[in-house]
Amino acid sequence: MDDDATVSAADIARLAGVGRAAVSNWRRRYPDFPQPVGGTASSPLFGLSAVAGWFRARGKKFELSAGERAWQRLRALGDDLDLPERVSRAGVFFAFQAGVFDTFDSKLDDPELLTLLSEMTHQSGPVEAFELLCRRYFEAHSRRLSATPEPIAELMARLTGPVSTILDPACGFGALALASGAKTVLGQDSDPMTASIAALRLKLRGIEVEVYAVDALREDAFAGRTAEAVLCDPPFNERAWGHDELVGDERWEYGLPPRGEPELAWVQHCLAHVEPGGTVAILMPGAAAGRRSGKRIRGNLLRAGAVRAVVTLAPAGPDLWLLRRPAPGERAPSTVLLGEAGDALSTVDEMWREFRAYPESGVRIIDLLDDDVDLTPARRRARDEDPGQAFEVVRARFAELAPQLPPLEAADAEPAFTTIGELVKAGVVEVRHMARTDAEPPVAQRGDVVASVTGIAYVHSGPPEPVGAGLTVYRLDAERLDADFLAGCLRAADLPAASASTRIDGRRVRIPRVPIGVQREYGRVFRNLAEFDAVLREAAETGRELVRLGFAGLVEGRLRPGR
């Protein structure tokens, strides 16, 4: 067993067949439980050999399969940032074993790992062997990766129906393509390793694949080509999606997407790549159905008959939009389906079947073409519902929210302070921003802090991506400065500016001068405060809805004064 291999608490729980709480109990109850050798206080890593030895000393079985040993070896061979490349190289090995490639040159030169991969192929076959490594990779980086949940991917595939060819312009790791059952897949993803893993997963199953590692909005690899169906789970709320350089793009048949509406750019991109009469299934943030900036495009989509359904899949989103590219000369439909899945995704299948059988059961498009062109299913429900019953539902939701402020107490003394400018001079922080409007935007990498003077401050956790104008990237030395701590300090500096006209000079922002361990504790509380703020905002919105329903219910006689 590789002495350098490490495992997280979640890994230990999985290998031992217990819950994570059991691992926490072992750490508290047994002084000889192996101490962390890396990671962080909230996500510690343990030496795999030490953990296995601890289990054996207590007579507990702790045998690792070839797949688990291969996964641990793969992780131990380099930095976590390069892990997706090593997973991809393992996929090339499996593809060679399966006869997909005639030659093998995946740059995997570790004999122990190659032996384990061969053993995995012999035991379970190349497809399942690669899927095991992919699952472990997704689990280990679940907070950084954004993968379409399997039940939602299967739902989208069912609603588009059986097709031979699909296109996914934001294919990720290929979840939608795999669910579709298509024989030919056209895909794009802006991250090269993600695109590579997706292509390998599909090729191992004998699917004809074309996947390009470029951003689909900025560089359309399939310009002029169409597929029977398009399935898409695009990135939400991208600030730098190419608005200025794509002003005259021919894909904007229904109108130029506003700068703050990249999701409507993805909708039109998908419609441009589906055959006439073909279906588009795309996941959208709930706000995209009602933002005023997008009402013109939504109106044009409705008038053309391109929007067929908007269904909210969960209370906090996302929405599933079903669209159809109008065929030349056909009459536009007069209704559209607006619905909510509730607690079961299967209800969406039932709603869609009923709507297709009885289109008159949907919402009249002419009724939606008002000043708002709001396609939000919940708002439509609010117009038709019994205010008395809805009042009870919303009141229960309001009670559930009950935001809890993280415990804070008065400090004994004020700490010493430094500034970001001083940290820059000390080499702890590097500040990057657009010096001119025509300059290249800075690129945020995993672990960077991205901030503005309008209340935005967060730790970037995804793949490298350019940030929009007005945003600054802070790249820091993680051994001397905690990212969540810095983000909290920047947000604290921004808060007073919310009602002022002056801009905050980032280099003058004060930072408490405390040890890294204290910084991490502060960072944890800053994250909790941000979560509290999000819940507080939702509680405020729910409270306003509660007041609206109270007034409506009293006026309509569905509610009466209580005792």
Side-chain angles (χ1 to χ4, degrees):
M1 189 180 301
D2 180 19
D3 292 335
D4 295 328
T6 58
V7 287
S8 65
D11 292 329
I12 296 171
R14 185 186 69 250
L15 295 171
V18 299
R20 290 191 62 175
V23 180
S24 298
N25 288 336
W26 292 336
R27 293 184 65 191
R28 287 194 298 267
R29 290 172 55 194
Y30 300 108
D32 63 335
F33 191 88
Q35 293 299 307
V37 296
T40 64
S42 59
S43 300
L45 295 176
F46 306 85
L48 178 57
S49 297
V51 171
W54 187 84
F55 273 89
R56 282 194 296 267
R58 278 160 179 73
K60 297 178 181 291
K61 185 177 181 181
F62 197 80
E63 295 296 330
L64 297 180
S65 66
E68 292 294 346
R69 284 182 286 138
W71 165 243
Q72 299 302 336
R73 183 63 184 166
L74 201 65
R75 294 189 70 179
L77 286 176
D79 190 275
D80 242 22
L81 293 175
D82 298 324
L83 182 57
E85 182 175 359
R86 298 196 296 279
V87 172
S88 176
R89 290 175 180 179
V92 173
F93 175 86
F94 291 128
F96 172 71
Q97 293 286 311
V100 175
F101 300 139
D102 295 330
T103 59
F104 170 61
D105 182 20
S106 76
K107 300 179 182 178
L108 283 178
D109 54 2
D110 184 77
E112 180 181 344
L113 177 59
L114 291 174
T115 299
L116 290 169
L117 296 180
S118 297
E119 189 175 341
M120 289 178 68
T121 305
H122 178 73
Q123 289 179 352
S124 58
V127 174
E128 182 51 39
F130 189 45
E131 284 302 307
L132 172 63
L133 295 185
C134 288
R135 284 196 298 272
R136 295 292 175 262
Y137 171 52
F138 301 156
E139 292 165 1
H141 294 78
S142 58
R143 294 185 179 181
R144 301 177 186 174
L145 305 177
S146 177
T148 309
E150 189 173 314
I152 293 180
E154 293 174 348
L155 170 67
M156 295 171 69
R158 289 196 304 272
L159 296 178
T160 55
V163 292
S164 297
T165 305
I166 73 150
L167 183 143
D168 184 348
C171 66
F173 296 101
L176 292 173
L178 290 170
S180 73
K183 297 179 180 178
T184 302
V185 172
L186 311 178
Q188 286 189 242
D189 194 275
S190 58
D191 182 71
M193 287 302 104
T194 299
S196 174
I197 291 172
L200 288 165
R201 295 179 76 192
L202 295 165
K203 287 178 179 179
L204 279 166
R205 289 168 168 79
I207 299 171
E208 185 179 340
V209 181
E210 282 187 62
V211 176
Y212 295 92
V214 288
D215 180 84
L217 293 184
R218 292 175 179 272
E219 189 174 344
D220 186 359
F222 300 103
R225 297 174 63 180
T226 58
E228 292 176 68
V230 176
L231 286 79
C232 185
D233 180 2
F236 293 168
N237 303 318
E238 281 195 330
R239 299 173 181 84
W241 59 272
H243 174 273
D244 293 343
E245 61 202 77
L246 297 173
V247 168
D249 198 285
E250 61 183 11
R251 289 170 291 179
W252 314 148
E253 180 179 351
Y254 301 94
L256 173 66
R259 189 182 304 275
E261 294 278 2
E263 293 82 13
L264 292 179
W266 284 104
V267 164
Q268 296 191 77
H269 175 88
C270 292
L271 282 170
H273 285 289
V274 72
E275 297 174 357
T279 300
V280 172
I282 179 171
L283 294 179
M284 300 280 280
R291 290 193 194 109
R292 289 193 63 81
S293 57
K295 69 175 186 177
R296 175 171 169 269
I297 292 177
R298 291 194 301 272
N300 290 338
L301 289 167
L302 285 171
R303 293 184 188 93
V307 181
R308 303 307 303 122
V310 176
V311 181
T312 300
L313 300 182
D319 288 349
L320 171 59
W321 287 33
L322 291 176
L323 304 107
R324 182 176 182 273
R325 182 174 177 181
E330 74 175 2
R331 184 177 180 179
S334 60
T335 61
V336 63
L337 170 63
L338 300 182
E340 296 172 277
D343 296 329
L345 290 178
S346 59
T347 60
V348 181
D349 297 89
E350 298 169 9
M351 281 190 287
W352 182 237
R353 282 195 298 268
E354 181 179 354
F355 174 70
R356 294 186 68 182
Y358 306 101
E360 62 274 13
S361 65
V363 179
R364 295 196 312 165
I365 289 176
I366 194 171
D367 293 335
L368 295 170
L369 296 173
D370 53 17
D371 288 340
D372 297 321
V373 195
D374 195 334
L375 306 184
T376 306
R379 291 187 179 276
R380 182 57 44 179
R381 168 176 51 80
R383 297 182 187 181
D384 302 330
E385 68 192 355
D386 180 335
Q389 295 178 354
F391 182 84
E392 295 301 324
V393 172
V394 176
R395 181 163 62 180
R397 173 59 181 156
F398 185 77
E400 288 175 4
L401 287 170
Q404 296 295 319
L405 183 69
L408 300 171
E409 58 187 32
D412 296 331
E414 182 177 309
F417 288 92
T418 184
T419 65
I420 289 181
E422 291 173 348
L423 293 176
V424 169
K425 292 178 182 178
V428 179
V429 178
E430 180 182 349
V431 181
R432 304 183 179 191
H433 61 272
M434 288 180 64
R436 307 185 313 276
T437 56
D438 60 344
E440 287 291 325
V443 175
Q445 297 183 0
R446 188 177 297 123
D448 289 349
V449 174
V450 180
S452 76
V453 295
T454 58
I456 299 173
Y458 63 92
V459 180
H460 185 71
S461 59
E465 65 177 4
V467 302
L471 294 176
T472 300
V473 174
Y474 296 86
R475 185 154 301 157
L476 47 89
D477 180 348
E479 297 299 320
R480 293 191 283 172
L481 184 62
D482 180 73
D484 289 304
F485 175 71
L486 176 60
C489 293
L490 286 164
R491 181 164 180 175
D494 283 342
L495 289 174
S499 59
S501 59
T502 57
R503 296 174 63 87
I504 295 294
D505 183 349
R507 291 176 179 264
R508 295 184 180 180
V509 170
R510 295 203 311 166
I511 309 292
R513 193 188 297 272
V514 293
I516 186 67
V518 176
Q519 291 180 32
R520 288 169 180 156
E521 181 65 16
Y522 272 56
R524 179 185 63 80
V525 176
F526 281 141
R527 289 197 305 272
N528 291 341
L529 280 172
E531 293 169 2
F532 173 79
D533 180 55
V535 174
L536 203 61
R537 291 173 186 272
E538 185 179 352
E541 293 178 3
T542 305
R544 285 192 291 270
E545 180 69 0
L546 198 62
V547 171
R548 183 192 70 79
L549 290 169
F551 275 101
L554 287 167
V555 169
E556 296 178 18
R558 303 302 181 93
L559 293 172
R560 65 183 181 185
R563 296 179 181 177

